[in-house]
């Protein structure tokens, strides 16, 4: 017999999940192990007969074969029925739950615990997979479970899977009238009286920028429906957390029973985890407990203190602000201020006097108005906003939000002792709010609920100990100097994507220091790198002052292997024209992330306190990792830097991702616009179409996935970055495949006298030979000089080789082919007909390595004098060997045959 157990004080989620599971287990029965919520009890008064419910006392333990626990995984939640879990003859115990953080003390043989809004969702997905047709009463109770546990999809733990399950249940006949009745039941008369009383004695306490509402009421006895009372009370307050407690006497004892309902709107406190100390449990944002004892006041205070202790330190202006601030003088012309805004993509500028004191703010709207009336020559002081609202570095995020909403302000300068040290904009606030929402959504291998400290622990577990210690050391140095330090970019991306079964060694680490607004003697990134170099003397230090970066390199280290740690000061960048090198300036971590190429590379984990372990994801990078797609950050990205097209393809093919459709359209727009051809004509130096493009091509062509990457580049028509007539075709792919086969044979069989060949460079040369004039392209890419010379001569060489008469004697063919360097012949073999390819192959791998039976030294010993005749003799000897008249090699037979030939043809003088 299969028995399905609902946890004590059953709610609609455990009941609905149990009913759905019973449809998957024919003949199974459901037991409510310890009462039910009032709404559930009222519901069952009408619908009990629709479901296979039995009393606990009706269960014969000896007949049990399999037990299924729904919506809980702790024995305590199942009361006396938990004793059945120890029966020796049980064949299996299964657990179905959605509380990822809840401890499990059940020896389950099957366990499905996933981050969805309701356990009923998990069961609905199983029912859909089994193509089970539900009765309306079954669909209704399952829908109630999802609605109640997700707040009708409004709670933070709600997921798209819950919405999909609800949609399916509607097709199965879920009764909407019943849903309306039981999802928001009205309060009974006793509870209405308690609501009025609660509002009168409500206590509010501020802590770390959050508000806790507390109500403790004495009642005469046990009350049902307290969760509904807590919901209505919470809705009437603007508090971030609510603790509703009632206590009543225990009959026949001096003890009192304390019942506490907790509700939360914020990230941070895990009420379910906190309440477990007093025998309770639940979700992070909705939990309850029942406690018995005499010290009611002390216990109540302890519960409140435990909840407040979990409140995270509030985000302050110093954490949000962009710095340093772009400023202008009051006398600057409107037109020049507009140019600065356009260059840096800002929506406003701070105006400071000669002492760098803030005197005003001018917005894009102000500038547009002045320009519209023809006042581009006028100074900004006539249009700026005087005496702007300002904040301090310690101003909290809620206070900042209030100021922006109250005064309709788009930006707030941050002053520290009257010095302008940063600015907080609406964009900064909106990104943080988006970040907070993303942090509440479980993603990939990251913790299901990113509470303060949890991501740090996760990062610690994901890295090998030595690498974690390296990051901890760097963070310690940064904290000592008052800087923020972040792990950014590809390292964070790879941490999310890597399997979680073993610690990871990241080979390429990017660290960003945010703190340049402080008075430093040198770039913070460089200073931090020097400090780490002193701690790790085995590493080599490289400093790049122009870009305010430094790198530490380990090569074949016994612990770190080959490790590159790049350390930079947070910076922003501006492209003076398309395909140029960017101009770099110090900035904030937000601007630093915004300048990056793709959302999956714009992730950062904060390593320093406060908020150590905080994940910064302002652009939806985690969602794109889950969707397995590459998405560009901003519209002009590919126009500014065409190498990003090649990077997009490289990441997509390497990671097995798709390029997001809007990103593909932006790539095609950039290529179709003709901007790359124009910028090469207008600007002499275009690094993104020269050395940086060559570097991207090298990374693609030396990778194992080079051919799929080239196909994808071809589908995007991206080779137009090389030349407007460079197109990917089947014949070009066949040419590259053939060239690659010949390259591998070269590596395996080439004569020692031939130079080693770089496969990626050969592939690139083969690609360029498809162009009418590859030489100028090779020059633009700044390829090695011998490659440039080879490709300049290519049109003439291939024209001549196309006329090769393969019917000639080997010696005649050899003399013709010897006029070309071997790599040219290798490239030609990939495009010529098979007969010519066969001849070139014989030349490269049979004729070139050929050993003649006699050498110039042998001729000397035989008495022949060095001179023009030497060359004539050796060429004739080579021709005879090639044409099969003489044997090759230096064995006695070959040498005797060659000596006879020599005496006959060239008698000794």
């Amino acid at each position: 017999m299969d028995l399905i157990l609902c946890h004590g004080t059953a709610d609609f989620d455990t009941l609905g999940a149990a009913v759905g599971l019973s449809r998957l287990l024919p003949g199974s029965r459901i037991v409510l192990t310890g009462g039910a919520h009032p709404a559930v009890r009222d519901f069952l008064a009408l619908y009990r007969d629709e479901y296979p419910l039995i009393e606990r006392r009706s269960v014969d333990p000896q007949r049990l074969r399999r037990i299924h626990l729904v919506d809980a995984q702790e024995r305590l939640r199942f009361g006396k029925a938990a004793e059945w879990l120890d029966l020796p003859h049980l064949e299996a115990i299964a657990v179905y739950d959605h509380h990822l953080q809840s401890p499990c003390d059940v020896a389950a043989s099957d366990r499905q615990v996933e981050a969805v809004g309701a356990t009923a969702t998990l069961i609905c997905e199983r029912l859909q997979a089994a193509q089970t047709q539900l009765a309306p009463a079954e669909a209704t109770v399952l829908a109630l479970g999802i609605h109640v546990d997700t707040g009708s999809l409004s709670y933070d733990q709600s997921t798209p899977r819950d919405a999909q399950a609800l949609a399916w249940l509607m097709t199965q006949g879920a009764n909407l009238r019943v849903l309306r009745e039981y999802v928001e039941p009205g309060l009974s008369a006793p509870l209405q009286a308690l609501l009025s009383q609660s509002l009168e004695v409500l206590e509010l306490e501020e802590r770390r920028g959050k508000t806790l509402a507390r109500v403790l009421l004495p009642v005469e006895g046990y009350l049902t429906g307290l969760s509904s009372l807590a919901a209505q009370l919470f809705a009437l307050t603007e508090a971030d957390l609510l603790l509703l407690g009632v206590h009543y006497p225990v009959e026949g004892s001096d003890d009192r029973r304390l019942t506490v309902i907790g509700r939360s709107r914020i990230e941070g406190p895990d009420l379910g985890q906190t309440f477990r100390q007093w025998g309770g449990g639940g979700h992070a944002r909705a939990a309850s407990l029942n406690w018995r004892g005499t010290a009611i006041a002390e216990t109540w205070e302890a519960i409140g203190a435990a909840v407040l202790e979990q409140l995270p330190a509030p985000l302050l202006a110093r954490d949000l602000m962009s710095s340093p601030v772009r400023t202008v003088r009051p006398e600057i012309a409107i037109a020049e201020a507009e140019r600065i805004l356009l260059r840096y993509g800002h929506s406003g500028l701070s105006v400071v006097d000669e002492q760098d004191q803030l005197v005003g703010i001018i917005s894009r709207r102000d500038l547009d108005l002045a320009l519209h009336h023809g006042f581009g020559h006028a100074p900004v002081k006539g249009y700026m906003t005087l005496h702007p609202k300002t904040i301090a570095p310690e101003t909290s995020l809620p206070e900042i939000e209030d100021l922006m909403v109250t005064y309709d302000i788009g930006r707030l300068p941050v002053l520290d002792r009257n010095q302008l040290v940063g600015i907080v904009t609406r964009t900064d606030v909106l990104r943080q709010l988006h970040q907070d929402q993303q942090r509440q959504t479980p993603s990939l291998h990251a913790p299901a609920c990113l509470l303060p400290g949890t991501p740090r622990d996760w990062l610690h577990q994901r890295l090998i100990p030595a690498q974690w210690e390296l990051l901890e050391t760097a963070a310690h140095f940064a904290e000592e100097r008052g800087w923020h330090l972040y792990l950014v970019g590809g390292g964070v991306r790879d941490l999310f994507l890597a399997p979680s079964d073993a610690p990871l060694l990241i080979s390429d680490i990017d660290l960003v220091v945010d703190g340049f607004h402080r008075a430093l003697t040198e770039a913070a990134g460089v200073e931090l790198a020097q400090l780490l170099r002193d701690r790790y003397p085995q590493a080599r230090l490289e400093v790049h002052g122009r870009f305010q970066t430094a790198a530490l390199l380990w090569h074949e280290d016994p612990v770190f292997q080959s490790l590159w740690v790049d350390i930079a000061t947070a910076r922003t960048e501006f492209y003076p024209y398309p395909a140029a090198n960017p101009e770099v300036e110090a900035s904030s971590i937000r601007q630093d992330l915004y300048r990056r190429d793709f959302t999956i590379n714009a992730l950062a984990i904060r390593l320093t306190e406060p908020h150590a372990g905080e994940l910064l994801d302002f652009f939806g990078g985690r969602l794109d990792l889950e969707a397995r797609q590459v998405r560009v950050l901003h519209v002009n990205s590919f126009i500014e830097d065409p190498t990003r097209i090649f990077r997009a393809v490289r990441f997509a093919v390497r990671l097995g991702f798709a390029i997001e459709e809007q990103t593909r359209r932006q790539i095609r727009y950039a290529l179709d616009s003709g901007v790359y051809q124009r910028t090469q004509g207008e600007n002499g130096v275009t690094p993104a179409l020269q050395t940086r493009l060559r570097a991207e091509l090298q990374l693609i062509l030396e990778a194992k996935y080079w051919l799929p990457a080239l196909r994808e580049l071809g589908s995007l028509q991206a080779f137009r970055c090389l030349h407007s007539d460079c197109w990917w075709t089947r014949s070009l792919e066949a040419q590259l495949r053939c060239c690659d086969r010949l390259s591998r044979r070269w590596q395996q069989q080439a004569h020692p006298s031939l130079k080693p060949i770089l496969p990626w460079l050969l592939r690139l040369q083969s690609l360029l030979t498809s162009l009418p004039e590859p030489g100028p392209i090779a020059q633009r890419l700044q390829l090695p000089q011998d490659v440039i010379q080879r490709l300049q001569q290519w049109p003439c060489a291939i024209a001549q080789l196309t006329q090769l008469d393969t019917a000639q004697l080997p010696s005649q063919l050899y003399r013709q082919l010897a006029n070309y360097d071997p790599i040219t012949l290798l490239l030609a073999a990939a495009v010529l007909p098979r007969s010519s390819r066969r001849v070139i192959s014989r030349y490269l791998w049979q004729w070139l390595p050929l050993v003649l039976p006699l050498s110039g030294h042998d001729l000397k010993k035989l008495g022949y004098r060095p001179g023009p005749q030497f060359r004539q003799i050796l060429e004739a000897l080579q021709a005879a060997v090639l044409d099969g008249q003489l044997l090759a090699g230096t064995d006695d037979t070959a040498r005797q045959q060659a000596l006879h030939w020599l005496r006959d043809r060239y008698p000794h003088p």
Side-chain angles (χ1 to χ4, degrees), residues 144-455:
L144 279 170
I146 299 174
H147 267 290
V148 171
D149 253 37
T150 65
S152 295
L153 303 180
S154 66
Y155 293 164
D156 293 327
Q157 66 264 24
S158 305
T159 69
R161 293 168 64 183
D162 302 302
Q164 291 162 3
L166 277 175
W168 178 73
L169 290 170
M170 290 182 68
T171 69
Q172 297 293 302
N175 190 312
L176 298 183
R177 182 189 62 78
V178 175
L179 293 181
R180 285 194 301 271
E181 181 180 354
Y182 289 98
V183 167
E184 294 184 4
L187 294 180
S188 64
L191 292 180
Q192 290 179 16
L194 274 183
L195 177 61
S196 300
Q197 188 179 352
S198 299
L199 292 172
E200 293 176 2
V201 300
L202 187 72
E203 297 178 357
L204 298 176
E205 181 175 350
E206 294 286 338
R207 181 76 64 87
R208 296 178 181 174
K210 306 299 181 185
T211 303
L212 170 64
R214 293 201 278 189
V215 178
L216 180 63
L217 297 172
V219 294
E220 295 180 358
Y222 174 73
L223 282 172
T224 60
L226 284 176
S227 58
S228 299
L229 172 60
Q232 295 219 15
L233 186 60
F234 200 32
L236 293 172
T237 70
E238 295 184 356
D240 300 296
L241 300 110
L242 169 71
L243 294 180
L244 169 63
V246 299
H247 59 96
Y248 54 90
V250 177
E251 188 175 352
S253 171
D254 292 335
D255 290 348
R256 294 185 70 83
R257 179 79 66 180
L258 172 65
T259 299
V260 180
I261 306 293
R263 294 290 184 267
S264 172
R265 291 191 176 97
I266 60 173
E267 178 197 357
D270 185 340
L271 296 178
Q273 183 69 35
T274 302
F275 283 12
R276 287 192 185 95
Q277 302 175 49
W278 292 274
H283 300 274
R285 302 198 179 189
S288 63
L289 66 84
N290 285 290
W291 179 84
R292 176 174 171 172
T294 57
I296 296 296
E298 293 83 353
T299 304
W300 175 250
E301 289 300 322
I303 294 170
V307 171
L308 289 172
E309 184 64 28
Q310 289 194 38
L311 286 175
L315 280 170
L316 305 177
R318 70 169 71 253
D319 304 312
L320 299 170
M321 68 187 186
S322 298
S323 177
V325 185
R326 196 72 51 200
T327 61
V328 294
R329 299 294 188 202
E331 295 78 19
I332 192 173
I334 291 288
E336 177 63 13
E338 173 71 10
R339 188 192 68 80
I340 294 173
L341 281 187
L342 178 64
R343 171 170 180 156
Y344 294 103
H346 293 344
S347 60
L349 292 169
S350 299
V351 185
V352 297
D353 60 18
E354 294 180 355
Q355 287 74 43
D356 289 333
Q357 298 292 303
L358 181 71
V359 294
I361 290 280
I362 189 160
S363 68
R364 180 178 297 278
R365 189 165 44 189
D366 301 328
L367 294 174
D368 288 343
L369 182 63
L371 290 169
H372 175 72
H373 292 293
F375 290 103
H377 62 282
V380 297
K381 63 183 178 182
Y383 290 85
M384 68 185 185
T385 300
L386 298 172
H387 312 298
K389 293 287 183 184
T390 62
I391 54 178
E394 293 76 25
T395 305
S396 68
L397 177 57
E399 294 174 290
I400 294 170
E401 286 185 78
D402 288 342
L403 282 171
M404 287 185 169
V405 172
T406 302
Y407 296 100
D408 190 23
I409 300 173
R411 59 203 60 80
L412 287 167
V414 183
L415 301 185
D416 187 5
R417 293 186 291 274
N418 292 324
Q419 290 297 309
L420 182 63
V421 296
I423 192 164
V424 177
T425 67
R426 279 197 190 102
T427 301
D428 296 326
V429 173
L430 290 175
R431 284 177 182 168
Q432 186 60 48
L433 294 176
H434 170 77
Q435 168 75 13
D436 291 343
Q437 175 62 33
Q438 291 295 337
R439 192 181 296 118
Q440 295 155 13
T441 304
S443 176
L444 301 173
H445 308 290
C449 184
L450 296 180
L451 303 174
T454 302

Side-chain angles (χ1 to χ4, degrees), residues 28 102 109 115 117 124 129 133 152 221 297 308-309 327 447 457 492 571 604 609 662 731 762 835 880:
S28 61
S102 178
S109 53
C124 279
Q133 187 69 33
S152 295
L308 289 172
E309 184 64 28
T327 61
D457 296 339
V492 182
R571 54 201 171 156
E609 296 290 355
Q662 180 66 25
S731 61
L762 184 68
S835 57

Side-chain angles (χ1 to χ4, degrees), residues 583-657:
E583 296 178 4
V584 174
E585 297 180 9
S587 186
S588 66
I589 183 64
R590 282 167 175 74
Q591 291 295 320
D592 192 278
L593 293 177
Y594 184 69
R595 72 178 180 83
R596 295 174 185 269
D597 46 14
F598 308 110
T599 59
I600 60 174
N601 295 333
L603 298 165
I605 295 177
R606 184 161 168 167
L607 301 176
T608 48
E609 296 290 355
H611 310 295
E614 178 185 31
L615 176 68
L616 301 187
D617 177 16
F618 301 117
F619 313 105
R622 282 197 302 165
L623 293 176
D624 288 331
L625 287 176
E626 289 180 336
R628 302 188 69 78
Q629 66 180 10
V630 176
R631 180 165 58 89
V632 75
L633 251 65
H634 50 89
V635 174
N636 293 323
S637 184
F638 299 118
I639 289 177
E640 291 177 343
D641 188 352
T643 63
R644 288 173 174 162
I645 299 174
F646 293 78
R647 285 171 61 80
V649 169
R650 178 159 60 86
F651 285 125
V653 178
R654 177 186 141 200
L655 300 173
F657 283 20

